[in-house]
């Protein structure tokens, strides 16, 4: 359709036929101008703007290239992002856009981002011959007096052609006739009477007037001139001014008189009555102004908007009563007032923006426009306070919205940035726009536990899989950056991996026991739980968890003295002279548990003489309740029960064998009542051993007898609360708890009665109580001898007595 393109800076060339020029013009200020004909088809190429501006066509899409305009004006062209061609996007009608203006220029803008770049584009729309010349009326009625002299001129209304220049009306032709010729000059079209009219010969004439433009091909329009021949009206009205000028502020109230036109007619009567009317004006102008047919007042009947029309022309016709007319022109200039507030356009916005964006990061582009003129369109932009953003002026009316500080999504995740634009009119007008901006999360916060440390208390012998406690960590980040996973930090408890004791639920943080705990093995331990988020890279923190194992009553009391039955046979010697309250012996027991589970109480559950002996409830000391009498049986058996304070309570029992005698020589042969014939072989071995050392024992018996004669008359029994316990019977893990039934250091002497050898050893130590007997005596007998003594047998076993 178009055969050539040409830049104004290059060498022009002429295109014949119906070809037009597309002229890309580069201004000295970086503007690009193109000249092209109106009514180009949609998608037609105007020029290659990328080439003309030296841009890379491949970068247009990445830089979000687009064509923009001021305000709400239409965008008549677009850019092909692949080729860089500037193409027609909307129908371009020069007459509708510019009317009769000789120069029709559309202002468009090429906007590029990254970095922001603005190129102004001027589109010069060239007229094509697409309109016919038109007359205002289909027929022109004229009444001419027959008295009109030869050479009389009659003005005709010009034809109107919306095109301009060569395409507008260039010449007129009049149908051949006998009376009139047509004279056309630069301003008027006149019908000249060449031959006088004769009303008696011809009452009216019809002449065909043709108007032709200069386009190629030519276009023409016709009108019929109907001439009615009258008598005697030979003067047409005359205006006082050829051109009237007026200034009108926009938004003037209705019925405001803009200007008054005036015309007079030298004729009298009906021939001199002048009426006014619009000659050739557009329908839009008729909606704004009206003219009084009699007075010539032009008034405002519609809204006057400077931004729509800044000036317009009116063609006024004055006609007398018999049809003679003359014409004048009215030019009205519209003056601007500050009636338009600035308009804020958000051209681009990066949302969401990562919270770790550095200060100065551009997040949006703002364009501010004001349709008013001069100072009324000067705009200042500001942004609300207390937000980490600011507006930086860029090109023309463009501003960059940039960050001014660090962003933190956990503090503020969304901003509504209010931008205010104020013009410099009087009074000033302003407008605001809210720009929503979201902050995207980055993984910049590690999980934080709710507590500095955690502690859990669990009773020993717990069930495997039971929960001990739970830990909770919070991560203020979003989605996977804030999703917390729990795990155990590798470590050991008593040389064993902590994972063998505990496990943690990775989602809930609940800590479970993998196996049962034993308070007697360890009472507490510590481990670490790690909370890790799912960010990239992940962040983590850990917390210390202390586990305290509470004791359960799972250990029965253990007897240290006397030894449990079956291990040894122990017999204590009680002097006949013992008074009530004298310490006879002591039952010593320990409990591997702790606390109240290890609080022991002692009870005599069975005795030969229930009223003779009593035992301390918590000390285990066996004392006489009354003085020993002659009627008391020499052999006394006490069955003692030791109970702990646990729930439920656990217990152990032992048998204490007591012999009431002042002189060891008086002690009959004793026999272990618990002795079983099945153990006779072991007893025989022990008797042989005793015989082999009998000489040694006889020596000690003599020494003991000598000592007894030297002692006080009233002997004290054994020791006062101090039963000698060999260290081999005390488990190394037992603690020393005073008053709890466990061993005290005052009882740690160097020997006690037999340790399970089937013999009975009596040891006498110095008492720490005045109510106990002095002396240090040991009676050694075989189990058979003790059994015989308690069975009242009359054997005469060997007795060995030693003093230590």
């Amino acid at each position: 359709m178009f055969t050539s393109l040409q830049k104004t800076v290059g060498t022009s060339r002429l295109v014949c036929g119906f070809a037009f020029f597309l002229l890309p013009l580069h201004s000295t200020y970086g503007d690009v101008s193109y000249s092209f004909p109106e009514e180009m088809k949609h998608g037609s190429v105007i020029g290659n703007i990328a080439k003309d501006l030296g841009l890379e066509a491949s970068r247009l899409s990445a830089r979000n290239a687009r064509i923009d305009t001021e305000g709400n004006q239409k965008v008549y062209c677009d850019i092909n992002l692949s080729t860089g061609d500037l193409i027609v996007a909307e129908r371009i009608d020069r007459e509708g856009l510019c009317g009769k203006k000789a120069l029709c220029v559309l202002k468009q803008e090429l906007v590029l981002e990254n970095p922001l770049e603005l190129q102004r584009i001027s589109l010069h729309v060239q007229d094509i011959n697409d309109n016919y010349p038109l007359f205002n009326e289909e027929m022109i009625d004229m009444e001419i007096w027959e008295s009109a002299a030869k050479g009389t001129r009659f003005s005709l209304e010009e034809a109107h052609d919306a095109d301009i220049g060569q395409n507008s009306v260039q010449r007129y032709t009049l149908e051949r006739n006998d009376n009139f010729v047509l004279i056309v000059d630069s301003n008027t079209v006149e019908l000249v009477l060449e031959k006088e009219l004769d009303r008696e010969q011809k009452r009216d004439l019809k002449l065909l007037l043709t108007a032709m433009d200069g386009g190629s091909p030519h276009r023409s329009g016709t009108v019929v001139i109907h001439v009615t021949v009258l008598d005697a009206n030979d003067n047409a009205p005359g205006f006082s001014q050829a051109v009237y000028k007026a200034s009108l502020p926009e938004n003037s109230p209705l019925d405001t008189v803009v200007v008054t036109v005036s015309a007079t007619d030298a004729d009298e009567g009906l021939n001199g009555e002048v009426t006014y009317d619009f000659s050739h004006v557009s329908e839009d102008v008729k909606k704004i102004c009206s003219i009084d047919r009699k007075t010539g007042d032009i008034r405002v009947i519609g809204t006057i908007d400077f931004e729509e029309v800044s000036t317009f022309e009116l063609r006024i016709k004055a006609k007398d009563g018999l049809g003679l007319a003359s014409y004048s022109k009215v030019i009205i200039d519209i003056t601007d007032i500050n009636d338009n507030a600035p308009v804020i356009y958000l051209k681009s916005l990066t949302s969401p923006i990562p919270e770790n964006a550095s200060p100065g990061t551009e997040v949006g582009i703002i364009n501010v426009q004001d349709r008013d003129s001069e100072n009324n369109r000067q705009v200042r932009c500001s942004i609300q306070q207390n937000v980490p953003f600011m507006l930086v002026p860029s090109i023309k009316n463009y501003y960059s919205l940039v960050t001014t500080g660090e962003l933190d999504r956990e503090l503020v995740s969304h901003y509504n940035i209010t931008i205010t634009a104020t013009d410099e009119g009087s009074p000033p007008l302003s407008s605001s726009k809210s720009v929503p901006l979201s902050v995207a999360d980055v993984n910049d916060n590690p999980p934080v536990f709710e507590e500095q440390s955690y502690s859990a208390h669990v009773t020993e012998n717990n069930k495997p899989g039971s929960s001990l406690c739970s830990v909770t960590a919070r991560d203020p980040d979003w989605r996977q950056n804030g999703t917390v996973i729990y795990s155990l930090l590798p470590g050991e408890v008593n040389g064993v991996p902590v994972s063998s004791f505990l496990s943690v639920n990775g989602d809930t943080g609940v800590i479970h026991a993998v196996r049962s705990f034993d308070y007697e093995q360890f009472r507490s331990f510590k481990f670490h739980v790690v909370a890790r988020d799912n960010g990239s890279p992940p962040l983590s923190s850990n917390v210390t968890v202390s586990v305290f194992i509470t004791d359960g009553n799972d250990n029965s009391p253990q007897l240290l003295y006397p030894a449990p039955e079956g291990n040894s046979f122990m017999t204590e010697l009680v002097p006949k002279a013992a008074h009530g309250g004298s310490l006879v012996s002591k039952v010593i027991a320990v409990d591997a548990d702790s606390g109240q589970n290890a609080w022991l109480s002692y009870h005599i559950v069975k005795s030969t003489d229930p009223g003779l002996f009593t035992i301390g409830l918590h000390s285990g000391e066996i004392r006489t309740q009354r003085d020993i009498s002659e009627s008391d049986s020499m052999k006394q058996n006490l069955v003692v029960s030791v109970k702990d304070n646990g729930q439920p309570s656990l217990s152990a029992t032992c048998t204490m064998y007591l012999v009431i005698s002042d002189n060891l020589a008086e002690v009959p042969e004793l026999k272990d009542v618990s002795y079983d014939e099945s153990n006779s072989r072991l007893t025989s071995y022990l008797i042989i051993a005793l015989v082999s050392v009998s000489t040694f024992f006889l020596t000690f018996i003599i020494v003991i007898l000598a000592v007894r004669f030297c002692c006080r008359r009233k002997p004290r029994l054994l020791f006062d609360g101090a039963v000698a316990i060999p260290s081999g019977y005390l488990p190394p893990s037992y603690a020393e708890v005073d008053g709890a039934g466990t061993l005290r250091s005052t009882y740690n002497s160097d020997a006690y009665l037999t340790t399970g050898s089937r013999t009975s050893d009596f040891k006498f130590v110095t008492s720490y109580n005045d109510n106990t007997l002095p002396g240090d005596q040991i009676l050694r007998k075989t189990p058979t001898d003790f059994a015989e003594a308690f069975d009242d047998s009359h054997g005469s076993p060997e007795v060995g007595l030693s003093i230590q």
Side-chain angles (χ1 to χ4, degrees), residues 469-734:
C469 67
S470 65
V471 296
T472 304
R474 306 292 183 187
D475 193 322
D477 292 323
W478 195 45
R479 289 186 176 175
Q480 68 177 17
N481 293 335
T483 301
V484 179
I485 299 174
Y486 303 93
S487 61
L488 293 177
L489 190 67
E492 293 184 351
V493 177
N494 290 351
V496 180
V498 70
S499 58
S500 300
F501 294 92
L502 302 163
S503 67
V504 62
N505 188 306
D507 297 325
T508 64
V510 176
I511 299 171
H512 298 272
V514 175
R515 66 183 187 184
S516 297
F517 300 117
D518 188 354
Y519 176 83
E520 286 69 42
Q521 287 186 353
F522 50 85
R523 302 183 180 184
S524 66
F525 61 90
K526 294 182 180 180
F527 63 96
H528 299 279
V529 177
V530 178
R532 186 186 73 255
D533 59 30
N534 265 338
S536 179
L539 301 178
S540 64
S541 62
N542 56 56
V543 71
T544 300
V545 181
S546 300
V547 177
F548 300 95
I549 303 169
T550 57
D551 183 44
N553 193 28
D554 59 343
N555 290 282
S556 300
Q558 183 176 349
L559 289 165
L560 300 181
Y561 182 83
E565 285 191 78
N567 294 333
S568 67
F569 181 75
M570 301 180 183
T571 302
E572 302 269 358
L573 186 63
V574 180
K576 293 180 179 180
H579 295 291
S582 298
L583 178 64
V584 175
S585 183
K586 180 178 177 69
V587 177
I588 300 176
V590 292
D591 195 314
D593 296 321
S594 65
Q596 67 176 11
N597 295 328
W599 296 350
L600 303 181
S601 59
Y602 300 83
H603 309 273
I604 298 176
V605 297
K606 184 179 180 182
S607 65
T608 303
D609 188 348
L612 182 55
F613 297 100
T614 183
I615 190 168
L617 180 63
H618 298 296
S619 65
E621 295 177 346
I622 300 174
R623 295 179 182 270
T624 58
Q625 294 192 75
R626 57 179 174 79
D627 294 343
I628 302 296
S629 64
E630 293 294 333
S631 62
D632 291 327
S633 174
M634 178 181 295
K635 297 176 292 182
Q636 295 288 331
N637 294 347
L638 301 180
V639 178
V640 178
S641 173
V642 184
K643 295 182 180 180
D644 60 25
N645 199 36
Q647 294 294 330
S649 176
L650 301 178
S651 64
T653 60
C654 67
T655 302
M656 180 70 72
Y657 300 101
L658 304 176
V659 177
I660 300 175
S661 176
D662 288 333
N663 195 332
L664 292 177
E666 299 176 357
V667 178
E669 294 181 354
L670 302 176
K671 183 177 180 180
D672 189 349
V673 295
S674 65
Y675 176 71
D676 195 333
E677 291 298 330
S678 62
N679 295 325
S680 60
R681 187 177 180 182
L682 177 61
T683 303
S684 298
Y685 292 150
L686 294 175
I687 293 173
I688 294 171
L690 288 173
V691 171
S692 66
V693 295
S694 60
T695 304
F696 180 75
F697 286 160
L698 289 174
T699 304
F700 277 90
I701 291 173
I702 296 171
V703 174
I704 291 173
L705 293 175
V707 172
R708 284 179 60 84
F709 284 109
C710 296
C711 291
R712 289 175 297 177
R713 181 175 181 83
K714 185 178 180 179
R716 290 189 177 88
L717 177 62
L718 301 177
F719 45 83
D720 182 13
V723 178
I725 304 299
S727 61
Y729 271 81
L730 182 62
S733 62
Y734 291 164

Side-chain angles (χ1 to χ4, degrees), residues 748-794:
N748 290 335
S749 298
D750 53 359
Y752 70 89
L753 302 183
T754 60
T755 60
S757 63
R758 282 298 183 188
T759 63
S760 300
D761 296 343
F762 290 85
K763 181 170 182 178
F764 301 87
V765 296
T766 301
S767 173
Y768 296 99
N769 191 317
D770 293 338
N771 294 327
T772 60
L773 297 175
D776 188 1
Q777 303 176 359
I778 298 178
L779 173 64
R780 301 182 182 273
K781 295 292 287 182
T782 63
T784 304
D785 296 334
F786 285 121
E788 292 175 352
F790 281 98
D791 290 341
D792 294 328
S793 61
H794 299 283

Side-chain angles (χ1 to χ4, degrees), residues 110-224:
L110 173 63
V111 180
L112 299 167
E113 298 182 9
N114 298 321
L116 177 63
E117 184 177 349
L118 183 68
Q119 297 288 346
R120 289 172 291 186
I121 304 172
S122 297
L123 302 179
H124 295 261
V125 183
Q126 303 297 325
D127 182 50
I128 62 173
N129 192 26
D130 59 340
N131 291 283
Y132 290 87
L134 296 175
F135 289 90
N136 194 39
E137 300 174 343
E138 294 182 358
M139 179 178 291
I140 299 175
D141 290 322
M142 298 182 63
E143 294 178 343
I144 301 177
W145 292 93
E146 64 177 346
S147 60
K150 181 180 180 181
T152 302
R153 298 190 175 196
F154 304 94
S155 298
L156 299 176
E157 183 177 359
E158 299 174 354
H160 172 71
D161 193 332
D163 298 323
I164 62 171
Q166 191 67 25
N167 295 326
S168 64
V169 177
Q170 298 296 314
R171 60 193 181 93
Y172 295 85
T173 60
L174 183 67
E175 180 184 13
R176 192 177 183 85
N177 65 87
D178 297 329
N179 298 95
F180 295 94
V181 295
L182 192 66
I183 296 178
V184 180
D185 58 22
S186 59
N187 293 319
T188 61
V189 177
E190 294 180 320
L191 194 64
V192 179
L193 183 61
E194 189 177 51
K195 181 181 177 182
E196 291 83 359
L197 298 174
D198 187 356
R199 185 176 177 278
E200 286 70 23
Q201 291 185 359
K202 204 169 189 178
R203 296 176 62 91
D204 57 9
L205 299 173
K206 289 187 178 181
L207 308 175
L208 183 63
L209 178 63
T210 302
M212 292 179 289
D213 61 26
S216 178
H218 296 295
R219 297 181 184 271
S220 62
T222 60
V223 66
V224 175

